[in-house]
Amino acid sequence: MLDPTPTGLHSGGTPLLQTVGLTKRYGNFLANEAIDIDIWPQQIHALLGENGAGKSTLVKTIYGLIQPSEGEMRWQGEKMVLSGPSEARARGIGMVFQHFSLFDNLTVAENVALGLDGKESFKDMSARLEEVSNVYGLPLDPKREVWQLSVGERQRIEIVRVLMQNPKFLILDEPTAVLTPQEADQLFIVLDRLKAEGRAILYISHKLEEVKRLCDTATILRGGKKVSTCNPQQETAASLARMMVGADIKEVKAAAGRKTTVPRLVVNDLNMEPDDPHGVRLANISLELKGGEILGIAGVAGNGQDELFAALSGERQCPDPGTIVIDGHAAGHLSITLRRKLGAAFVPEERLGHGTAPRMKLSENALLTGHAASGMVQHGFVNTAATLSTVDRATETFDVRKAKRDPEAASLSGGNLQKFIVGREILRNPAVLVVSQPTWGVDAGAAAVIRQALLDLAASGAAVLVTSQDLDELAEITDRIAVMFHGHLSQPMATAEATREKLGLLMGGSSLEQKEAPHAVSA
Amino acid sequence: MQLVLEKRAERSNTIALISPLIAIGLTIVTMTILFAILGKNPILALHAYFIAPLSDSYSLQEIAVKATPLVMIAVGLSLCYLANVWNIGAEGQFLIGAVAGSWLPVVTHGTDAGYWVLPAMLVCGTVAGALYALIPAICKVKFGASEILTSLMLVYVADLFLDYMVRGPWRDPNGFNFPTTAEFDPVATVPLLVSGGRLHLGAIIALLVVAAVAVMLGRTIKGFEIRVVGAAPRAARFGGFNSNQLILLTFAISGGLAGLAGIIEVAGPVGHLQPGFSPGYGFTAIIVAFLGRLNPVGILIAGLFLALTFIGGEQAQIAMKIPLDVTKVFQGILLFYVLACDSLILYRFRLIFPSPKVSSGAV
């Protein structure tokens, strides 16, 4: 499909894309500082870095979404100034974003048509869509509406849409974040094939094993600067991580001889209709979690994890009290405040706007979840000293870094705010902690602190339920893992036995025991 | 060179304090231009608006009298606006409070009813205002109807109801067919603070309302609920706060305060119920609420300032024949600038100069 480009030796030929001293400044903040990258045809080039390292800024500049403050880009050796993404696409640069831009109520073909600049008829375009998707092994039915599709299928639309423009250079932003291990393997086959056709790929990820397996070259960013360009196959995951973080990462240690006690969180046959028409119906969910135990819930995003969190927290209540039992008390019908009074604590996935009110101070955000159970409110009046002392204790215990004693939540970095939120809940000594994506978008140092805190909490006798899409995280801290798919929860298995293959099958909707089509889906 | 609006890391408290002052400054500049276009001497006009009313005791008292309903209504409205619900119908709640409170003085007129009449009137006015405000609130909670439209439309219902009452059942038999009730008896009248003056007990009540709401917002869990429901609704639900309950509560409080202001106005400065007794206090109070930064103490200051424009407008009409409607223009421009200047709390202006290092070839 693409002219066979002479690959040439990297030392001799011209790179497909070159950035020279590329700098992007926001006010006094340098998001990118003098970045030099060479990207060659027939190369899968990894872009590694923690959140805030400047990866997004760099690829947005290359895709023409933002203009560099200094430095320049060269395309096939010639200086390139992009006025916008359509010019980047015209040159042959395509990008698949981490967050899809698809219309749920339109069909696959309609969504693709909306994203293309060309003037071909809808019929021709649909035919070409089917052809491209078949050639690359990315099967898609052009007539289906997007809301019916899985996350993996939605990503296929985005990839096919980009491939239909026949790009020479493809940027992929965290493409496997939403895929099961098996789906990720299929994606890698497609990427290898694109590479063999002579295209270049810039692959953004923080999954180091994946990068080692797939990529020829890796450029590592830290604090807006390029730290190094290396061959990831000659590095270890630990050495790559050290370059990303700039320091060794503390190992998370589970306390030895942790004992499980009585059941503290029990869910009995929970069924719940979604309140949003595109939400997921929870069906027959049962689980039992003992004190001292950490249960992980794996699964691709959008399989009912948000709905389960709302049901467990009491943001949505069930008519039958016995559905959810917290520390021996039937709690299904109780509000979130009453569940907190029973000793439950909750950490939602979204930090700003759900876990905290962004424009309110930390002390007020401590009051947000602490008003029910601790001495923060007396006769309807707020005890400001108590709320501030929670902020101070969380700051000290969990190393929350902030500019002043009591800043607004939104002014903290993601990692520090997450440490505050987790700390705020743990300081209440909860009997049960339900936490969703505890380290999502959090730097490695903060992630280690948070995971350690969860392990310590379990060691002190609490029951901890962790929902995460990061299988490595679940393997590191949980005792048992269950998988969520289409609103159903699998039987939990011991973490030691939960291989990536087993989990991947469950995440894709297959049942482990019987090979027949899972009745779960049609239920 | 480029002028851009840039987001601040944290809201600026300094700007939050001076943004109303910037807005007032810009309004005065605009008014100067407007006076010049009208062919009036801007210096004299501004003097008539802002300086003359401050120079004699009668005008000063009159400012306090006009500020009383503005502050009371605006303090209630600020609770709604903080909770992110939009009660635009305070004028209607104000009128209904006046009508309901006037029922007692009308039926006890000429009897020897005791001193219970005035307190009972105030309770009637407050309760009626609160119930009237609950209509749009319940429609919003139950049916999702826009409270902006329903509360505004109920203003006209209240206005016409008042008109009907004073032209029909409650018309003063000795009133030469004017649409007005009989003058209220002394036991049904708000007492004056200065004998022979205009300042009445309502001003003290307004101060108490300011203090009570300031404590509620700053110190109590209810006040926190109101603020968090408005600022971050999903976080509020996570905190266990019921937003529907708060919609009803804030509407009831703001309607109650508007109704109280209404009956105080009728039983105080006006002395009887008649159509058109309000110069639009309920609408002007919206400006007062925002100019006062939705903060009770700020609202007290803003209420006095807006009252000054009412008195100043009258002075300017008498002294310079400037139409009274210019006062409304002034208030509208002021609200416009207040809302515009608020963006400076979260954003700042920044001049961007092109980098000197841009290589040749760039245009």
Side-chain angles (χ1 to χ4, degrees):
Chain A
M1 303 200 65
L2 188 77
D3 304 331
T5 317
T7 326
L9 289 172
H10 288 184
S11 50
T14 325
L16 181 65
L17 177 91
Q18 212 177 3
T19 71
V20 184
L22 209 62
T23 298
K24 179 67 192 178
R25 202 178 279 121
Y26 290 105
N28 298 324
F29 175 70
L30 278 166
N32 278 164
E33 191 178 347
I35 291 183
D36 301 324
I37 289 190
D38 295 349
I39 287 159
W40 301 82
Q42 214 167 33
Q43 182 187 50
I44 303 185
H45 192 126
L47 188 59
L48 285 171
E50 291 210 271
N51 283 286
K55 293 173 303 199
S56 302
T57 306
L58 180 62
V59 295
K60 279 185 192 160
T61 312
I62 294 175
Y63 193 53
L65 280 166
I66 51 182
Q67 309 299 322
S69 310
E70 277 166 42
E72 65 175 41
M73 294 185 282
R74 291 186 195 137
W75 180 250
Q76 295 175 324
E78 280 170 38
K79 184 181 157 131
M80 168 172 79
V81 177
L82 295 174
S83 62
S86 57
E87 206 178 326
R89 285 195 292 268
R91 299 246 185 184
I93 302 175
M95 178 154 179
V96 177
F97 289 90
Q98 187 180 3
H99 299 285
F100 308 148
S101 38
L102 297 170
F103 295 93
D104 278 351
N105 292 325
L106 297 183
T107 65
V108 172
E110 285 163 344
N111 266 290
V112 171
L114 279 171
L116 292 180
D117 303 326
K119 293 183 181 72
E120 64 184 322
S121 76
F122 186 73
K123 208 176 138 203
D124 293 350
M125 194 278 313
S126 296
R128 206 155 66 83
L129 165 67
E130 276 198 276
E131 186 200 320
V132 172
S133 73
N134 287 333
V135 166
Y136 286 98
L138 295 161
L140 278 174
D141 178 353
K143 292 190 186 64
R144 288 191 76 188
E145 290 187 2
V146 167
W147 64 269
Q148 300 170 302
L149 304 180
S150 73
V151 184
E153 287 171 309
R154 290 178 202 207
Q155 187 181 55
R156 267 182 233 156
I157 305 175
E158 294 272 357
I159 295 175
V160 167
R161 174 151 85 184
V162 172
L163 288 180
M164 284 177 68
Q165 295 159 11
N166 196 15
K168 296 190 182 71
F169 176 43
L170 197 62
I171 305 168
L172 294 157
D173 189 359
E174 301 263 5
T176 58
V178 294
L179 299 182
T180 68
Q182 282 84 352
E183 284 175 323
D185 287 342
Q186 284 169 12
L187 176 69
F188 296 158
I189 295 170
V190 174
L191 296 185
D192 274 329
R193 171 158 180 184
L194 292 172
K195 172 184 160 187
E197 287 177 348
R199 301 174 209 265
I201 294 169
L202 185 62
Y203 187 86
I204 304 173
S205 182
H206 63 263
K207 295 187 178 172
L208 302 174
E209 291 299 339
E210 203 173 278
V211 166
K212 272 171 66 63
R213 191 170 134 200
L214 184 71
C215 302
D216 323 292
T217 312
T219 292
I220 295 145
L221 300 185
R222 185 170 77 227
K225 290 185 202 151
K226 186 171 104 169
V227 180
S228 132
T229 295
C230 60
N231 180 343
Q233 276 140 27
Q234 290 166 5
E235 300 284 335
T236 62
S239 67
L240 289 172
R242 206 175 304 123
M243 284 190 269
M244 275 166 63
V245 179
D248 282 315
I249 300 165
K250 260 195 230 153
E251 287 245 348
V252 175
K253 279 196 209 88
R258 187 143 51 91
K259 285 210 178 67
T260 56
T261 57
V262 291
R264 304 198 85 164
L265 175 66
V266 180
V267 178
N268 296 313
D269 197 24
L270 168 68
N271 290 279
M272 192 180 268
E273 293 295 329
D275 52 359
D276 159 13
H278 293 165
V280 178
R281 193 173 73 94
L282 297 178
N284 314 106
I285 289 182
S286 295
L287 61 87
E288 186 182 275
L289 187 53
K290 294 192 172 77
E293 193 183 22
I294 303 183
L295 174 68
I297 294 185
V300 175
N303 269 294
Q305 292 96 326
D306 294 347
E307 288 81 358
L308 180 63
F309 182 85
L312 290 177
S313 67
E315 286 178 300
R316 293 197 65 206
Q317 289 142 22
C318 340
D320 178 7
T323 319
I324 292 165
V325 182
I326 295 170
D327 239 1
H329 300 274
H333 59 306
L334 297 181
S335 69
I336 187 166
T337 301
L338 292 173
R339 292 185 200 196
R340 287 196 177 110
K341 284 188 174 160
L342 289 178
F346 311 97
V347 176
E349 174 179 342
E350 193 69 39
R351 283 185 283 278
L352 289 170
H354 192 179
T356 63
R359 291 280 164 201
M360 289 188 144
K361 292 174 179 168
L362 289 187
S363 60
E364 294 174 304
N365 277 301
L367 180 64
L368 184 70
T369 62
H371 65 88
S374 43
M376 289 181 186
V377 181
Q378 284 143 358
H379 310 295
F381 283 83
V382 176
N383 179 346
T384 318
T387 60
L388 268 174
S389 112
T390 302
V391 175
D392 291 344
R393 281 191 299 149
T395 305
E396 199 173 320
T397 320
F398 297 99
D399 183 31
V400 180
R401 313 225 177 120
K402 49 195 168 60
K404 54 185 186 190
R405 188 180 177 198
D406 195 15
E408 283 178 8
S411 71
L412 266 64
S413 75
N416 282 309
L417 185 58
Q418 187 73 357
K419 283 190 279 188
F420 169 76
I421 295 174
V422 171
R424 163 182 87 182
E425 303 305 329
I426 287 182
L427 287 174
R428 290 174 37 222
N429 295 319
V432 174
L433 178 68
V434 177
V435 44
S436 191
Q437 305 282 13
T439 61
W440 174 78
V442 159
D443 61 276
V449 171
I450 290 165
R451 288 176 191 159
Q452 188 64 56
L454 297 179
L455 282 167
D456 294 346
L457 180 68
S460 76
V464 181
L465 183 73
V466 182
T467 307
S468 179
Q469 288 174 56
D470 184 344
L471 294 182
D472 298 331
E473 170 170 85
L474 292 177
E476 194 174 356
I477 61 172
T478 61
D479 303 302
R480 290 185 300 153
I481 299 181
V483 176
M484 204 143 192
F485 178 75
H486 280 206
H488 292 255
L489 190 68
S490 75
Q491 271 306 319
M493 59 183 123
T495 301
E497 293 162 19
T499 60
R500 298 184 82 82
E501 287 64 37
K502 276 191 199 171
L503 292 175
L505 283 173
L506 289 167
M507 284 161 75
S510 316
S511 154
L512 289 182
E513 288 82 20
Q514 60 236 38
K515 283 287 164 207
E516 75 220 51
H519 60 283
V521 185
S522 55
Chain B
M1 198 175 69
Q2 211 183 346
L3 187 64
V4 293
L5 261 186
E6 193 176 83
K7 207 167 169 74
R8 297 175 191 268
E10 195 164 325
R11 54 174 283 143
S12 162
N13 288 324
T14 327
I15 299 289
L17 283 177
I18 64 172
S19 123
L21 300 179
I22 301 174
I24 290 173
L26 289 170
T27 309
I28 289 176
V29 171
T30 312
M31 289 307 288
T32 308
I33 296 167
L34 189 67
F35 288 137
I37 291 170
L38 285 173
K40 310 285 177 190
N41 182 335
I43 305 289
L44 290 179
L46 288 174
H47 183 269
Y49 256 86
F50 298 112
I51 311 293
L54 297 173
S55 46
D56 68 280
S57 142
Y58 174 83
S59 296
L60 283 175
Q61 282 196 44
E62 200 57 34
I63 289 171
V65 168
K66 289 252 192 292
T68 297
L70 287 176
V71 169
M72 251 193 264
I73 301 170
V75 163
L77 287 180
S78 70
L79 296 179
C80 289
Y81 300 161
L82 283 171
N84 215 3
V85 285
W86 301 96
N87 181 2
I88 306 298
E91 178 75 8
Q93 295 137 26
F94 178 81
L95 296 177
I96 284 292
V99 173
S102 299
W103 170 66
L104 274 173
V106 168
V107 297
T108 62
H109 182 61
T111 65
D112 53 358
Y115 285 102
W116 57 270
V117 175
L118 181 66
M121 285 162 65
L122 299 187
V123 171
C124 281
T126 310
V127 171
L131 291 177
Y132 202 61
L134 279 174
I135 300 172
I138 290 171
C139 287
K140 180 180 174 69
V141 169
K142 287 273 175 220
F143 312 113
S146 162
E147 76 279 20
I148 298 175
L149 291 175
T150 50
S151 65
L152 179 62
M153 290 191 294
L154 284 170
V155 171
Y156 306 105
V157 176
D159 200 20
L160 293 170
F161 181 63
L162 162 66
D163 219 45
Y164 164 73
M165 291 312 280
V166 292
R167 287 175 201 278
W170 288 357
R171 191 172 55 190
D172 181 5
N174 308 317
F176 308 103
N177 260 346
F178 279 110
T180 167
T181 63
E183 207 67 18
F184 291 179
D185 292 337
V187 288
T189 308
V190 178
L192 294 173
L193 293 179
V194 193
S195 72
R198 295 264 295 155
L199 199 59
H200 55 85
L201 189 66
I204 306 287
I205 298 179
L207 287 177
L208 291 177
V209 165
V210 167
V213 172
V215 169
M216 176 192 176
L217 274 179
R219 297 263 168 264
T220 68
I221 186 76
K222 249 321 158 219
F224 175 71
E225 279 186 53
I226 289 172
R227 288 185 290 127
V228 77
V229 162
R234 194 148 174 241
R237 195 164 61 148
F238 179 65
F241 304 137
N242 181 333
S243 63
N244 281 347
Q245 225 173 44
L246 277 176
I247 291 172
L248 299 176
L249 179 78
T250 54
F251 259 86
I253 294 178
S254 72
L257 287 174
L260 178 63
I263 184 57
I264 287 176
E265 185 68 12
V266 168
V270 181
H272 56 263
L273 190 64
Q274 67 175 55
F277 75 91
S278 164
Y281 285 133
F283 293 118
T284 309
I286 298 171
I287 305 173
V288 173
F290 280 102
L291 186 64
R293 303 238 52 84
L294 305 182
N295 171 309
V297 178
I299 285 170
L300 180 62
I301 299 167
L304 289 167
F305 180 74
L306 262 290
L308 174 67
T309 68
F310 275 120
I311 309 296
E314 286 170 10
Q315 299 250 5
Q317 187 183 30
I318 295 164
M320 303 182 64
K321 300 193 173 61
I322 294 174
L324 200 56
D325 286 339
V326 171
T327 307
K328 287 190 178 150
V329 173
F330 174 91
Q331 292 173 350
I333 293 174
L334 183 60
L335 179 63
F336 170 80
Y337 280 126
V338 166
L339 296 179
C341 288
D342 270 7
S343 45
L344 293 176
I345 297 171
L346 290 179
Y347 295 85
R348 65 175 156 217
F349 281 114
R350 203 184 171 89
L351 276 177
I352 304 251
F353 297 95
S355 157
K357 279 168 78 182
V358 168
S359 52
S360 61
V363 184

